[in-house]
Amino acid sequence: MSRTIVITGASDGIGAAAARIQAGFGDELVLVGRSPEKTKAIAAELGADYFLADFTDLSQVKTLALALEQKYPRIDVLANNAGGVMGPHEVTVDGHEKTFQVNHLAPFLLTTALMDTLVASQARIINTSSAAHRLMAKFNIDDLDAEKRYSANAAYGNAKLANILFTKELQRRYGSLGINAAAFHPGIVGSNFASEAAGFIKFAYGLMSQSFMISPVQGADTLIWLANSEPGVDWTAGEYYSKRKVTRVTKAAADPTLAVQLWDRSAAMIAAFETNDAV
């Protein structure tokens, strides 16, 4: 039976590579991107449906969720792949630090807004994280928007750590209802995901030869494996993967209390947004 696969961040990099590979499985692809030109081009190439949404604007994410819910009564895989490294401290129209919102809060909103559909579909939810959670994070649950202290490196590491905490708490809350969630590290991919970066990350990417990076196709491998192999048989839900293997996370990323706190604070942020949006 053909499945419905939703991939965010599908206009470039590993999202686009994953879409191209997944198209070969005969599933119905739904691509989500920020760039109208790139997203439309890849959708046309693959004969896929597509939606546009800028994750720096939660109202666009909410509109996306409603559109997906209305058009697709079944979603078998939700790949929360959109994200990136940002530059200087920037606050979105919703009042949140940009890195945190794009990489965590927007996917949190999209996933929870679609939860009835995802549960009914016994869906897989795949979150693109990164080894940056180990190398760069300085996670402070009381400063999620980096108002007290900000660096582009730490903000990205914190967001990628949040992806893992979200995955683990998602599985704890909804695993018994048939949800299978996983996070993964794609590797150091030669793409433009750091195009908005500044400081060390931009410097490091500038120095690195493309020969030291893996291709977007290689970076998408674990995502494709998680989407097409069997949870409970080939992989364990709630875990963090690299190169198709469970990989150790930091103490903070494995902290169940911190996962609950992040979920609750993220939900409160979304509730505040929805209250303001309704006014």
Side-chain angles (χ1 to χ4, degrees):
M1 182 178 70
S2 176
R3 301 179 302 162
T4 300
I5 315 288
V6 178
I7 304 174
T8 72
S11 61
D12 211 338
I14 66 172
R20 290 186 173 105
I21 297 167
Q22 194 65 43
F25 287 82
D27 295 313
E28 183 169 21
L29 290 179
V30 183
L31 311 183
V32 178
R34 180 180 62 173
S35 165
E37 296 79 13
K38 290 181 179 180
T39 309
K40 183 178 180 179
I42 293 174
E45 173 192 334
L46 302 178
D49 194 6
Y50 75 95
F51 293 84
L52 300 175
D54 186 338
F55 280 19
T56 65
D57 183 350
L58 293 179
S59 66
Q60 293 190 34
V61 181
K62 185 70 173 182
T63 298
L64 168 66
L66 291 171
L68 288 170
E69 186 177 47
Q70 290 172 2
K71 189 167 184 179
Y72 294 99
R74 182 177 184 87
I75 296 175
D76 298 277
V77 178
L78 172 61
N80 287 315
N81 173 68
V85 184
M86 311 304 168
H89 188 277
E90 186 176 345
V91 176
T92 69
V93 294
D94 303 295
H96 300 291
E97 190 276 314
K98 185 176 179 181
T99 314
F100 173 73
Q101 178 164 320
V102 170
N103 288 275
H104 168 69
L105 194 59
F108 179 89
L109 169 58
L110 179 62
T111 303
T112 53
L114 289 171
M115 192 54 69
D116 288 347
T117 298
L118 295 170
V119 168
S121 306
Q122 306 282 279
R124 304 174 193 197
I125 302 170
I126 304 168
N127 299 318
T128 303
S129 182
S130 170
H133 91 274
R134 177 182 298 281
L135 302 172
M136 300 177 186
K138 295 180 181 179
F139 197 81
N140 182 353
I141 191 65
D142 295 317
D143 192 26
L144 294 174
D145 284 317
E147 294 173 328
K148 299 175 182 176
R149 175 182 295 181
Y150 176 83
S151 80
N153 297 348
Y156 182 67
N158 291 341
K160 295 294 102 180
L161 191 151
N163 295 152
I164 298 172
L165 290 172
F166 173 45
T167 299
K168 290 184 176 297
E169 184 62 9
L170 184 63
Q171 190 61 37
R172 187 187 74 80
R173 290 178 182 241
Y174 294 99
S176 63
L177 299 177
I179 290 294
N180 287 284
F184 78 101
H185 168 57
I188 308 300
V189 179
S191 71
N192 70 352
F193 101 103
S195 60
E196 296 185 50
F200 172 76
I201 294 178
K202 187 168 187 176
F203 175 73
Y205 260 73
L207 285 180
M208 265 191 267
S209 165
Q210 289 292 317
S211 62
F212 289 101
M213 300 181 186
I214 63 174
S215 69
V217 169
Q218 291 170 308
D221 178 73
T222 299
L223 191 164
I224 293 298
W225 173 69
L226 290 166
N228 294 285
S229 55
E230 284 301 315
V233 177
D234 301 305
W235 54 273
T236 302
E239 297 290 352
Y240 167 69
Y241 284 84
S242 178
K243 297 180 180 179
R244 302 190 180 191
K245 295 180 180 180
V246 173
T247 302
R248 188 170 61 90
V249 299
T250 62
K251 184 178 179 180
D255 185 341
T257 300
L258 194 60
V260 172
Q261 290 176 325
L262 176 64
W263 185 288
D264 289 344
R265 296 194 185 200
S266 300
M269 290 175 176
I270 296 306
F273 150 72
E274 291 180 330
T275 298
N276 292 334
D277 196 47
V279 173

